[in-house]
Amino acid sequence: MVSPRAVAADVLVVGGGMAGAIAALAAREAGARVVLARRAPGATALSSGAIGVAPDPLALPGEPLRAAREPLEAARRLARLRPDHPYAVLGERLGALPEALAFAARVLAPLLAPPLERPRFLATPFGTAVPAALCQRSQAAGDLLAVDGALVVAGLRGHLGLDAALAAAGLERYRARGGPRAFAVEVDPGLGEVGLFRPHELARALEPPGAAEALGRAIRAALPAGAGAALVPPVLGLRPEARVPERVAAAAGIPVAELLADVPSVPGVRLQAALEAALAAAGVEVVQGALQGAGPGKPAMVGADEITAPRWVLATGRFVGGGVVRRGTLREPVLGLPVQAAEGREAGVDLAARPAASLTGAARSGPQPLLSAGLRVDALLRPLDGRGRPAADGLFAAGAVLGGHEQASDGTGLGVAILTGYLAGRAAARPGGGE
Amino acid sequence: MDYDVIILGGGANGTGTARDCAMRGLRVLLLEKADFGVGASGNSSGMIHGGIRYMLSDRHVTALACRDSGYIQRIAPHLLFRIPFLMPFTTRAAGATLRDRAAWYATEVYVGTYDLFQPLKRGKPSTRLSADELYRLEPGLRPGLRGAVTLDEWGIDAFRLCALNALSARAHGAELRTWTAAREILAEGGRVRGVRFRDALTGEEGEARAPVVFNATGAWSPALARRSGAAVPMRPGKGVHLTLDRRYSNYGVILSAVDGRQMFVMPHESESIVGTTDDDYYGDPDDLEATNDEVEYLVEGAASLLPGVRNARITRAWCGLRTTIYAYGPNEDALSREHQLHDGAAYGRAGLLSLVGGKLASYRAQAEEATDRIVALLGRAPVPCRTHEEPLPGGDEVPDPAALARAHPVAAPVAARLVYRHGGRAREILRLLEEDPRLGLVLCRDEGILAAEVVHCVRHEQVRRLQDLRRRCRLAVGACAGLDCARVAAQLAARELGWSPEQVRAELADLLDAGWRERRPILDGAQLVQEELVRGAHAAAGAPW
């Protein structure tokens, strides 16, 4: 029998996705000793790899891309329309958003491009443009407002994942709003039979010496006159150290960017890897395993480690992450906190035992209380019990475990993770934090 | 007149009758408001059974069903699969009362009588299983069962059955219009003279003229008839099925629901299907969804003999409306499964023929009877029916999946699914790989869907919307709910059909909507996780949210 290793820390962060990692890094920067316990890599690895903060709910359909509001203003507009959204719950503290984004860009600097005042408009495989407050360096050159000349969508011969003609036809629609001309070309990446490759296999195949360069040369050969940048499928390497995007761009002779990804998401995997690298560099101890514990100040078991910390940040995610589960009833499995937040008329109602169909609407794209179920918190990010009082001293929550937003599909998931992770991490770093 | 007969409805009855009429040389137009099989046919249990349940009340229904089951095996051998069913004895083994023994004896006699019908459908005779034998076959059954009898049935992909009948009709000269609804049946001087229709995708309205209109619109019949000044009485009954993410039994298991109704759990490919409910339904047939209590009812019933089902991941809850013949008084279960042809002459609509009732298993015989009547109404000389002899598309020279997998770059399980869905036409699909090796990509590993299969269906199987591929090749209906297959399939369809970027996104949204309606009542456990994943992935890729 192995006796448990006792670890004492100031802050225990539960969850290793974007919210947990940012919380741990923010607490660490504020001088706290931080342990991060995680069961598995977070759902961040499944994201598109770019960071949307808030789609502007008041943006007009045909307005020029340049008219886009800065992320904070878009988030404020969203908060006014959706009173249960974490942005609204934070009240004045929403104003910390630019600071939080700058923090994330700094700690993830090798991977992320520096933020601009305005969102970047990044292309999806359908040729739509999505505003992103932060994005990876490999995505930044695809910003529709940054392309100097025509945007060339380069499909890879033999790869069905991207229909370049379709994407280019969609992007052409943005010309009226200030976007570039868009063309489609097909290039041979020189990897042989790639037709049956999955995205991560293709990404790995581009890493060895010569492979990225061959793709770059093929792009250069296919470029029409006046090309300002090339967009390729999101497969430019799994490991940032392989510098695939830079090598492709150097050989292509123009800026090259990746489209946004669905699953399996190569950029999402890179984002998760960058979080882990940042945690290691900052000296956050990461322990792996399911956590059993009764809350801040009491010992918690993770594998063979017994961790005691006076303050906790719960950043366990939503359903994919396992921070909220439903087996007949909705539960928060770590501390048994009430699952009660949702949007619309279900807000604040105890959702636990309600049948699934009563928590969903018939229209798929309408509000779905079940899919926005999570913890309810006060403006200091302290989870509330059934009577609306903080559930435990020293307990904070961040990211998708917070209810009130459909983080997977409403375009605010990673923005909420960064902002609430940053605020919760800093609050947890101070004794009596957040008071 | 433009046509000899206009057929309304693309279910098994409509497509089967279109095929028969076209094969007998009639000029046929078939109008379907959505896609083939979207109503009761595709949402049935998908069984070409002999109707043992009807043996006591409608013995000739059983005989008809068994004989036709044999014919359907002959014309579409690839589409049928054998389902041996177990009927466990649920009463106590020890200290059985006289009443228990009488019940066992009655069951054996009942199944033994059914054996007399089995040769008609190439079924195997029933056997009596001891408790040991039963648990060796199905270890997941709850303890304490005394034994079972077996009975042999056949399953089918009912969506494909409808599509194949339609395609065969088209090959014999029929004109098919899907996503085109009949707005009104036109009449003049006591006779029908045609149909006014509207194409839901293009908005085009038109009239087609024919002296005979065959109304096989199932649960939509009464409303259509009312709009056209006629009446089609029926008692529509809602039936809900659940799909479980894996097999909870390798045999079909017949069991009792909490209210004593008969239910079943049966294997289909790598999944289990639980069915069914039967309740009168008077709502809008276009707005049909399973409810939480229906799901609960089915789970409770299935778990009574297969306790593992209580923890199962349910991947879909799907439903349809039976169109049983109207009767006042009987419970839903006791309503006759017989079918009737209503002649519209009584309402001043001579030439209008409406079909009510019937079973999927007997669709071919019902279509034959309807076609005989249509020929008579047209005053033509009788032409013999051949629908029981001529194979459906792909039903001849069905290849061996293992041999296909050796000859082509395709995995054996994928080849097996391909042959199951397409029979002899699997060869044509695999030939697409020779021109374009990319089409060897397996889009969906749950359902074994090849990119080439999507392309083939779009080119040759009357696909107008992306959601039609749910029914042609099970796109986005597996446990993955369309996670990483839907977008690529949409791109492939777009290329074939010339969709604009806006259309592709609208079609993808429509496909996801269709899946959402089937999953809304069952979001729990791992399936709720999957739902979040699917929504996230499609939102990230720019599908409309």
Side-chain angles (χ1 to χ4, degrees):
Chain A
M1 168 102 192
V2 182
S3 59
R5 180 180 72 117
V7 182
D10 301 316
V11 178
L12 171 63
V13 175
V14 191
M18 179 65 87
I22 292 292
L25 293 166
R28 186 81 193 100
E29 193 171 77
R33 289 171 303 160
V34 183
V35 172
L36 183 147
R38 60 165 214 191
R39 211 176 49 172
T44 300
L46 303 168
S47 71
S48 72
I51 293 154
V53 161
D56 183 349
L58 301 178
L60 300 171
E63 72 178 21
L65 298 177
R66 290 212 177 274
R69 260 60 47 175
E70 57 169 331
L72 176 58
E73 181 51 28
R76 284 196 167 124
R77 289 176 164 201
L78 193 94
R80 280 198 290 277
L81 290 172
R82 292 166 57 180
D84 307 304
H85 194 283
Y87 289 154
V89 173
L90 284 172
E92 286 297 302
R93 307 177 84 217
L94 176 58
L97 181 64
E99 190 183 321
L101 291 173
F103 176 77
R106 179 156 57 79
V107 296
L108 300 171
L111 186 73
L112 297 189
L116 307 177
E117 290 281 303
R118 58 166 180 85
R120 291 183 171 94
F121 286 92
L122 305 181
T124 69
F126 290 111
T128 54
V130 176
L134 286 173
C135 71
Q136 301 186 10
R137 289 176 188 275
S138 62
Q139 298 168 322
D143 175 12
L144 295 191
L145 289 174
V147 181
D148 183 16
L151 186 56
V152 178
V153 185
L156 305 186
R157 184 165 302 150
H159 176 60
L160 280 183
L162 171 66
D163 185 331
L166 185 73
L171 291 172
E172 267 288 303
R173 308 279 200 273
Y174 288 88
R175 282 182 69 186
R177 301 172 59 186
R181 279 179 305 150
F183 294 102
V185 296
E186 192 182 63
V187 303
D188 186 348
L191 295 170
E193 283 282 313
V194 299
L196 311 182
F197 280 24
R198 303 260 157 204
H200 53 282
E201 293 163 339
L202 207 44
R204 212 174 276 131
L206 285 169
E207 288 181 356
E213 288 76 8
L215 173 60
R217 286 193 298 275
I219 292 172
R220 179 194 283 257
L223 287 179
L231 274 177
V232 295
V235 296
L236 296 185
L238 270 178
R239 296 175 306 121
E241 315 84 89
R243 299 182 56 79
V244 174
E246 294 85 346
R247 287 159 55 205
V248 173
I254 57 167
V256 174
E258 295 174 297
L259 285 145
L260 293 176
D262 50 12
V263 291
S265 168
V266 168
V269 170
R270 286 197 300 256
L271 187 56
Q272 181 68 37
L275 292 174
E276 320 222 336
L279 290 170
V284 173
E285 185 177 352
V286 176
V287 293
Q288 187 96 18
L291 178 140
Q292 285 185 312
K298 302 178 185 97
M301 292 301 300
V302 181
D305 295 329
E306 187 187 86
I307 302 157
T308 310
R311 290 172 302 280
W312 286 22
V313 178
L314 210 54
T316 43
R318 189 73 60 77
F319 302 117
V320 172
V324 182
V325 297
R326 188 174 191 279
R327 277 245 164 247
T329 57
L330 279 164
R331 267 180 339 108
E332 186 286 302
V334 175
L335 294 172
L337 299 168
V339 176
Q340 48 183 347
E343 286 196 282
R345 65 190 166 80
E346 312 290 347
V349 173
D350 183 4
L351 304 180
R354 301 270 300 270
S358 78
L359 294 175
T360 52
R364 173 185 57 97
S365 41
Q368 304 296 350
L370 177 60
L371 289 153
S372 49
L375 304 182
R376 201 165 175 79
V377 291
D378 63 11
L380 300 172
L381 294 170
R382 297 179 298 188
L384 302 177
D385 64 15
R387 282 174 289 185
R389 299 177 314 201
D393 284 340
L395 180 65
F396 302 88
V401 73
L402 306 180
H405 68 313
E406 273 180 61
Q407 92 292 348
S409 55
D410 73 0
T412 70
L414 288 177
V416 167
I418 288 175
L419 175 59
T420 57
Y422 178 72
L423 292 173
R426 294 211 320 175
R430 296 190 296 273
E435 294 299 335
Chain B
M1 290 280 177
D2 308 330
Y3 303 94
D4 295 319
V5 57
I6 298 173
I7 294 171
L8 309 180
N13 287 317
T15 58
T17 306
R19 175 176 195 242
D20 201 344
C21 286
M23 284 173 68
R24 296 199 218 180
L26 302 186
R27 291 172 302 158
V28 178
L29 170 67
L30 182 142
L31 300 176
E32 161 55 52
K33 67 190 282 295
D35 184 33
F36 303 125
V38 291
S41 304
N43 289 299
S44 70
S45 309
M47 282 170 64
I48 300 296
H49 60 61
I52 186 172
R53 265 182 59 198
Y54 320 126
M55 211 164 55
L56 292 179
S57 53
D58 297 317
R59 200 169 162 137
H60 55 292
V61 174
T62 305
L64 183 72
C66 285
R67 188 169 308 110
D68 232 51
S69 166
Y71 291 145
I72 297 168
Q73 287 169 50
R74 189 189 306 168
I75 61 173
H78 61 294
L79 214 52
L80 275 93
F81 49 96
R82 193 183 288 277
I83 315 174
F85 270 92
L86 307 173
M87 270 175 105
F89 298 122
T90 52
T91 44
R92 293 167 295 152
T97 61
L98 187 61
R99 197 193 175 98
D100 293 338
R101 287 176 200 283
W104 301 335
Y105 181 67
T107 306
E108 284 176 50
V109 170
Y110 187 53
V111 173
T113 310
Y114 191 51
D115 281 348
L116 302 176
F117 294 90
Q118 286 284 9
L120 292 171
K121 61 187 186 72
R122 283 187 259 184
K124 296 184 177 167
S126 63
T127 49
R128 172 68 202 275
L129 299 177
S130 70
D132 279 355
E133 288 166 328
L134 177 62
Y135 286 111
R136 218 174 304 139
L137 291 178
E138 284 299 350
L141 286 167
R142 78 154 162 81
L145 297 173
R146 185 182 156 269
V149 289
T150 67
L151 71 120
D152 206 29
E153 295 290 5
W154 296 88
I156 197 166
D157 183 328
F159 285 119
R160 284 210 59 84
L161 179 67
C162 295
L164 292 184
N165 272 285
L167 296 173
S168 169
R170 193 174 70 181
H172 284 94
E175 186 181 335
L176 312 175
R177 295 193 70 145
T178 52
W179 297 101
T180 303
R183 310 276 281 199
E184 193 187 345
I185 296 165
L186 305 169
E188 220 171 59
R191 289 202 56 82
V192 295
R193 63 172 178 83
V195 170
R196 201 154 52 74
F197 61 82
R198 182 172 187 278
D199 185 314
L201 305 187
T202 63
E204 176 205 340
E205 299 218 14
E207 276 185 24
R209 297 190 306 162
V212 175
V213 172
F214 178 53
N215 174 14
T217 56
W220 287 267
S221 265
L224 176 65
R226 258 197 312 279
R227 277 205 302 280
S228 310
V232 179
M234 68 168 62
R235 261 181 73 174
K238 180 182 179 190
V240 179
H241 291 85
L242 307 178
T243 302
L244 313 181
D245 74 327
R246 69 197 72 177
R247 283 192 177 192
Y248 282 82
S249 66
N250 279 321
Y251 297 84
V253 178
I254 294 173
L255 35 78
S256 289
V258 63
D259 55 0
R261 284 187 54 251
Q262 202 177 72
M263 279 180 49
F264 64 84
V265 177
M266 69 176 190
H268 178 257
E269 298 288 1
S270 51
E271 302 169 328
S272 279
I273 292 174
V274 182
T276 167
T277 64
D278 192 349
D279 292 292
D280 281 325
Y281 182 84
Y282 298 106
D284 179 355
D286 283 320
D287 186 23
L288 195 65
E289 267 190 26
T291 63
N292 271 101
D293 37 331
E294 286 164 337
V295 173
E296 199 80 5
Y297 171 90
L298 291 172
V299 169
E300 280 301 307
S304 70
L305 284 194
L306 290 162
V309 170
R310 216 181 289 283
N311 298 317
R313 170 176 171 187
I314 307 168
T315 58
R316 296 163 65 210
W318 35 286
C319 41
L321 293 174
R322 300 177 187 83
T323 61
T324 34
I325 293 167
Y326 183 85
Y328 195 98
N331 275 338
E332 292 92 332
D333 266 358
L335 285 169
S336 165
R337 259 54 178 176
E338 186 58 282
H339 66 279
Q340 276 176 359
L341 285 166
H342 285 266
D343 195 322
Y347 310 94
R349 299 286 183 277
L352 172 63
L353 208 55
S354 296
L355 178 75
V356 179
K359 296 299 296 172
L360 179 77
S362 320
Y363 89 93
R364 198 212 56 82
Q366 286 149 207
E368 179 178 343
E369 184 186 332
T371 304
D372 289 345
R373 285 281 292 275
I374 291 167
V375 170
L377 282 171
L378 288 167
R380 306 276 177 94
V383 183
C385 170
R386 292 188 298 112
T387 54
H388 57 303
E389 293 166 353
E390 185 178 310
L392 284 165
D396 44 353
E397 296 177 43
V398 176
D400 170 28
L404 273 191
R406 280 193 297 274
H408 297 272
V410 57
V414 175
R417 295 291 179 101
L418 207 57
V419 170
Y420 166 46
R421 290 194 281 262
H422 297 276
R425 304 225 161 153
R427 294 191 193 87
E428 281 172 43
I429 295 174
L430 289 171
R431 266 201 292 279
L432 293 173
L433 269 57
E434 291 162 18
E435 299 155 31
D436 189 349
R438 294 182 308 175
L439 297 180
L441 182 71
V442 179
L443 289 187
C444 171
R445 280 161 288 187
D446 286 0
E447 300 290 338
I449 306 172
L450 274 185
E453 186 181 1
V454 167
V455 170
H456 171 89
C457 290
V458 173
R459 282 185 192 162
H460 304 295
E461 295 195 337
Q462 188 93 11
V463 168
R464 292 190 71 198
R465 307 206 66 177
L466 187 61
Q467 62 149 286
D468 296 351
L469 290 171
R470 283 167 52 89
R471 294 169 285 272
R472 296 301 180 281
C473 61
R474 295 180 63 83
L475 177 71
V477 298
C480 77
L483 181 64
D484 57 354
C485 56
R487 182 173 65 78
V488 177
Q491 288 173 190
L492 291 169
R495 196 174 287 191
E496 295 294 326
L497 297 172
W499 287 338
S500 70
E502 291 77 13
Q503 271 174 298
V504 187
R505 295 176 68 229
E507 288 298 327
L508 183 56
D510 174 68
L511 175 81
L512 296 172
D513 285 345
W516 170 249
R517 281 192 290 276
E518 294 183 338
R519 293 193 302 274
R520 204 160 77 83
I522 50 97
L523 293 176
D524 198 52
Q527 195 61 30
L528 178 55
V529 172
Q530 185 71 20
E531 191 67 33
E532 189 181 49
L533 201 54
V534 170
R535 290 169 83 88
H538 287 293
W545 224 273

